[in-house]
Amino acid sequence: MGLSRLAALHGVATSFSPSADVTVSVPDDTVTAVLAALGVDADTPAEVRRSLAAAESAAASRLLPPTVVAWSGEPLPAALTALPPGALLTVDPEPGATDARSPLRMRVLPATDANTPTTPTWWTEPPLGVHRLTVRTADRRYATATLVVAPDRVPQPPVGTHGFLVQLYSMLSARSWGMGDLSDLADLAAWAGRTLGSGFVQVNPLHAAVPGSPTDPSPYRPSSRRFPDPVHLHIESIPEYGHVAEPGRAALDDLRQEAAALREAVLNKGALIDRDAVWALKKQALEIIRGVPLTPGRRAAYCDFLAEQGQSLEDHALWCALAEVHGPLWRAWPEGLGDPRSPQSARARTELLDRVDFHCRLAWLTDTQLATAQSAARESGMTVGIVHDLAVGVHPDGADTWAQQDAFAQGMSVGAPPDAFNAHGQDWGLPPWRPDALAASGYAPYRDLLRGLLAHAGALRIDHVMGLFRLWWVPEGRPPTEGAYVSQDAEAMLAVLVLEAHRAGAVVIGEDLGTVEPGVREALARRGVLGTSVLWFERDWDGTGRPLAPEKWREDCVATATTHDLPSTAARLTGDHVTLRHRLGLLTRSLEQELAEDAADTAEWLAYLARLRLLPEGDGDEEAAVRAVHRFLRRTPARMAGVWLPDTVGDRRPQNLPGTWDQYPNWRLPIADAQGHPVTLEEITASPRLHRLMAVLTDGHQSRTAPPGARPS
């Protein structure tokens, strides 16, 4: 009982439910290890008693939690209404929110009768922002906390907004250096907004990767979520590129020829996208371009960027510089360099000043091209623009874990518990943030992360949005089945998210597929966070199990036919995804059984689409069936409908096949047509198949730029 009580006080669950009506206890060893990662000693019964007594005493004497949330226009939180009568509260507003020299005050008034609770009365409601709250009680007790005042909801997109979903690296244009880049993104957005009336383009996480040999190609296991990866830069769009003199100009021309060879190999010779080869060429080009002095205006803009980013950017750039010298595994660096605040790291900042500046410059250049992409999207008429993606965590050896060591739980990895679909659970190899450290800092790392991502975004997609509420922690050396859920302060996490999205004027989308704790979707919807609804998973699970009628879909979602982790729509309709998994040895039953079940599922959907008169072309036409699926999405009340860009040209290959590592080329495939031949951005936008599909979402309007044969369906 003592260990369970201690775990509960620190948000650690001692049981979980892998399926309905089944409860599994978490091993005591796991609970003890998780508590240790939170700084709580529970190795022996005596230590459990001491830690429990200390935790209960702290809870009883605490006037305020480290962070208090107040929603604008809503009743004050219990943390304030529970304060004793006579307590004086002072709010020092966030700089810039209001006159910081005039703090706001309120006093807790005594109850007028036994049925009326004490209530704080504000002299004026605090402005939106992150403020400092101070409490002084009549008996001379004192406490401070961070006060987050947030609007009640995030901005909402217009109903019926449609757009594209794409993994940026996979979308090569005729000028790409071997993988899609930010200029390609801007071009796609400008074209889609102007030609199709699209409202958004959603991309994969563009976070900085961990350098290596080879680099981990997954965009969901980055070195840093705080800064983008310069591999996405379009070299020729850098203003200084045009002013490189000889011999640098000749060297750049040679690099462009090598880049063209990389592009040609991917598009016409069956080669995979080679991120490392692309970066090797771009890095050489950037070293040359850096020799061109910045103009006064450009220099001023760069200095402003450095000032705005501050210590965070300096730490990131120093990690990059040290990784060039000592490799990316910072725990193996020479003594002292594993601590960003050590004397050795301070000396390294001076010794490597030139390399630190180089990596700061790369962050700035990437930031400017991200801004250009969003500007191009909005100027094209897009109501949302670029939708950026926030990965659920970072690589354990990356820049973020080095620079923010106190914020991460050592010896822990996040994943998923065993369930009906995966009896072994999952370990994603991503260290979690410590909820106690976040709360104590007023969620500063989280706020800074969101602010950076939202700077040039019309919307933000949050991978595994359930992580705002709880995450499955797996102790190092244990299987995923022996993990435990650790709770976040969901109210605070949501308040910070809503506040930052409000400030940026951005929509928020949560990836809420899979096991979702009761109440999570309702809490997200209350704050205007859209969910993700994928056609094949939307069934009447509480009744017949049949496809869910379009009018019964939720409005607060992005409706799609597939995602980067699922088969393309053509592969789903034809059963190609089953034969692919069979070739890779991933099936748990015979191929015949899997194909039969998949065919029955597909037939049920196609029959339903036919009954709804969404498949006028009849059976046997794969392209028509893909259009029918998207007609169905159009009929739902979903605020946003996302079209997987590979679906527009009939691509059958998934970008990522969960459960594989080297068996399948995850994150390295270019977009291809129905015959498996890679296609360029120019070919995609000119595709009659694309225009026939997009006419489904654009009221059959045929753009003046549509190619011949792209008749409305």
Side-chain angles (χ1 to χ4, degrees):
M1 286 295 293
L3 183 62
S4 296
R5 170 65 178 156
L6 180 62
L9 287 172
H10 292 280
V12 181
T14 55
S15 65
F16 68 97
S17 297
S19 59
D21 303 321
V22 175
T23 300
V24 177
S25 295
V26 173
D28 286 353
D29 286 350
T30 295
V31 176
T32 300
V34 171
L35 287 172
L38 293 169
V40 180
D41 199 342
D43 280 342
T44 68
E47 288 162 345
V48 169
R49 288 192 294 272
R50 282 194 293 270
S51 295
L52 180 57
E56 290 178 334
S57 175
S61 62
R62 186 178 64 194
L63 280 173
L64 291 173
T67 298
V68 177
V69 170
W71 298 97
S72 182
E74 296 186 9
L76 291 172
L80 299 185
T81 58
L83 290 168
L88 177 65
L89 280 71
T90 303
V91 177
D92 292 298
E94 180 181 44
T98 187
D99 187 353
R101 294 172 297 175
S102 302
L104 307 175
R105 293 185 174 86
M106 72 175 182
R107 188 178 296 277
V108 178
L109 304 178
T112 55
D113 57 63
N115 296 320
T116 304
T118 58
T119 178
T121 301
W122 291 97
W123 289 2
T124 180
E125 182 175 304
L128 300 178
V130 182
H131 316 302
R132 197 64 189 162
L133 174 64
T134 303
V135 175
R136 290 180 176 83
T137 67
D139 58 358
R140 299 182 181 276
R141 288 185 292 160
Y142 170 88
T144 62
T146 299
L147 175 65
V148 179
V149 182
D152 61 342
R153 286 171 64 82
V154 299
Q156 298 294 290
V159 174
T161 301
H162 67 80
F164 290 112
L165 319 175
V166 63
Q167 300 281 291
L168 179 57
Y169 60 82
S170 72
M171 185 184 68
L172 285 73
S173 71
R175 61 185 182 180
S176 302
W177 284 36
M179 61 182 281
D181 59 39
L182 291 171
S183 179
D184 297 327
L185 174 60
D187 206 37
L188 173 67
W191 171 82
R194 296 178 189 279
T195 304
L196 303 174
S198 299
F200 67 93
V201 174
Q202 178 181 306
V203 295
N204 54 285
L206 304 181
H207 310 319
V210 178
S213 187
T215 299
D216 186 342
S218 172
Y220 291 93
R221 204 164 181 249
S223 168
S224 174
R225 297 186 295 176
R226 298 181 298 164
F227 296 98
D229 198 310
V231 75
H232 300 111
L233 282 168
H234 181 242
I235 298 298
E236 293 92 329
S237 294
I238 299 171
E240 289 72 36
Y241 174 87
H243 299 281
V244 173
E246 295 294 353
R249 171 56 55 187
L252 282 179
D253 289 343
D254 289 343
L255 290 171
R256 288 185 63 191
Q257 297 248 351
E258 292 183 60
L262 280 180
R263 180 177 64 245
E264 173 69 13
V266 171
L267 293 175
N268 294 310
K269 297 181 179 179
L272 299 175
I273 291 170
D274 188 340
R275 181 193 182 100
D276 294 330
V278 172
W279 176 235
L281 296 180
K282 288 189 176 183
K283 187 177 182 182
Q284 292 178 65
L286 290 163
E287 300 275 12
I288 296 169
I289 293 169
R290 187 183 175 219
V292 177
L294 297 175
T295 64
R298 292 270 289 165
R299 168 63 62 181
Y302 179 43
C303 291
D304 281 351
F305 180 77
L306 293 176
E308 290 165 2
Q309 301 301 320
Q311 187 71 55
S312 294
L313 176 58
E314 185 179 333
D315 286 345
H316 176 73
L318 177 58
W319 183 91
C320 293
L322 287 168
E324 288 179 331
V325 178
H326 303 293
L329 304 179
W330 60 264
R331 290 177 179 83
W333 287 351
E335 184 177 356
L337 294 181
D339 177 1
R341 304 292 169 252
S342 71
Q344 293 91 333
S345 292
R347 283 196 298 272
R349 290 175 196 270
T350 301
E351 295 167 356
L352 299 173
L353 184 60
D354 182 69
R355 299 311 297 167
V356 170
D357 179 70
F358 176 69
H359 290 289
C360 285
R361 182 85 64 97
L362 298 189
W364 171 58
L365 292 173
T366 312
D367 183 80
T368 60
Q369 291 196 7
L370 286 168
T372 298
Q374 175 63 1
S375 294
R378 296 308 297 267
E379 288 168 6
S380 76
M382 284 191 167
T383 53
V384 175
I386 308 302
V387 182
H388 287 287
D389 197 352
L390 173 60
V392 70
V394 293
H395 196 286
D397 296 314
D400 282 1
T401 57
W402 177 76
Q404 299 178 326
Q405 293 175 40
D406 291 343
F408 289 93
Q410 301 300 318
M412 293 289 147
S413 173
V414 298
D419 57 26
F421 300 99
N422 188 338
H424 301 292
Q426 300 175 53
D427 184 343
W428 302 332
L430 308 170
W433 267 335
R434 284 181 55 161
D436 58 332
L438 286 182
S441 70
Y443 293 83
Y446 179 48
R447 287 188 277 121
D448 292 345
L449 171 61
L450 291 174
R451 200 164 297 168
L453 286 167
L454 289 166
H456 309 303
L460 180 65
R461 174 192 180 270
I462 300 179
D463 192 43
H464 193 70
V465 72
M466 296 80 79
L468 300 181
F469 296 77
R470 65 178 186 178
L471 282 169
W472 183 254
W473 288 23
V474 181
E476 186 177 346
R478 287 186 170 85
T481 52
E482 296 181 13
Y485 275 119
V486 178
S487 296
Q488 297 275 11
D489 182 343
E491 192 82 348
M493 297 289 280
L494 276 175
V496 170
L497 174 62
V498 172
L499 174 63
E500 294 301 335
H502 168 82
R503 286 171 159 170
V507 175
V508 178
I509 302 160
E511 185 273 296
D512 57 351
L513 303 174
T515 302
V516 183
E517 186 182 10
V520 166
R521 287 196 174 105
E522 292 77 8
L524 293 170
R526 180 184 178 191
R527 300 304 171 194
V529 177
L530 305 182
T532 301
S533 293
V534 178
L535 179 105
W536 314 101
F537 302 152
E538 292 297 315
R539 290 179 172 272
D540 180 15
W541 298 114
D542 296 327
T544 63
R546 293 173 181 166
L548 190 65
E551 65 272 13
K552 292 186 178 180
W553 281 42
R554 53 182 173 169
E555 176 184 326
D556 51 332
C557 76
V558 178
T560 71
T562 189
T563 74
H564 60 266
D565 282 333
L566 296 172
S568 70
T569 305
R572 171 80 68 169
L573 291 168
T574 58
D576 282 7
H577 68 110
V578 177
T579 55
L580 171 62
R581 290 168 56 228
H582 171 68
R583 288 199 305 272
L584 297 175
L586 299 177
L587 298 183
T588 57
R589 297 181 298 172
S590 71
L591 176 62
E592 292 71 21
Q593 287 177 301
E594 293 278 358
L595 284 173
E597 182 175 298
D598 183 73
D601 182 77
T602 300
E604 182 179 27
W605 270 104
L606 291 176
Y608 186 48
L609 294 173
R611 287 199 302 275
L612 294 176
R613 299 183 179 179
L614 299 177
L615 188 55
E617 301 88 346
D619 294 337
D621 186 333
E622 172 201 310
E623 184 185 339
V626 173
R627 289 199 299 272
V629 164
H630 289 83
R631 288 190 188 100
F632 183 96
L633 296 180
R634 174 75 186 275
R635 188 172 288 190
T636 73
R639 282 192 167 271
M640 298 172 71
V643 179
W644 180 235
L645 189 61
D647 272 350
T648 65
V649 289
D651 198 346
R652 282 170 160 69
R653 304 178 300 179
Q655 282 295 315
N656 178 51
L657 190 58
T660 62
W661 176 244
D662 56 0
Q663 309 100 309
Y664 186 80
N666 296 319
W667 319 113
R668 289 173 287 171
L669 291 171
I671 296 175
D673 61 20
Q675 289 72 46
H677 187 276
V679 287
T680 63
L681 172 60
E682 292 83 358
E683 291 169 329
I684 293 170
T685 58
S687 166
R689 178 166 178 158
L690 176 145
H691 285 271
R692 288 192 293 268
L693 173 59
M694 294 309 296
V696 167
L697 299 174
T698 57
D699 295 319
H701 173 70
Q702 184 172 355
S703 165
R704 64 180 184 277
T705 61
R711 298 182 181 85
S713 58

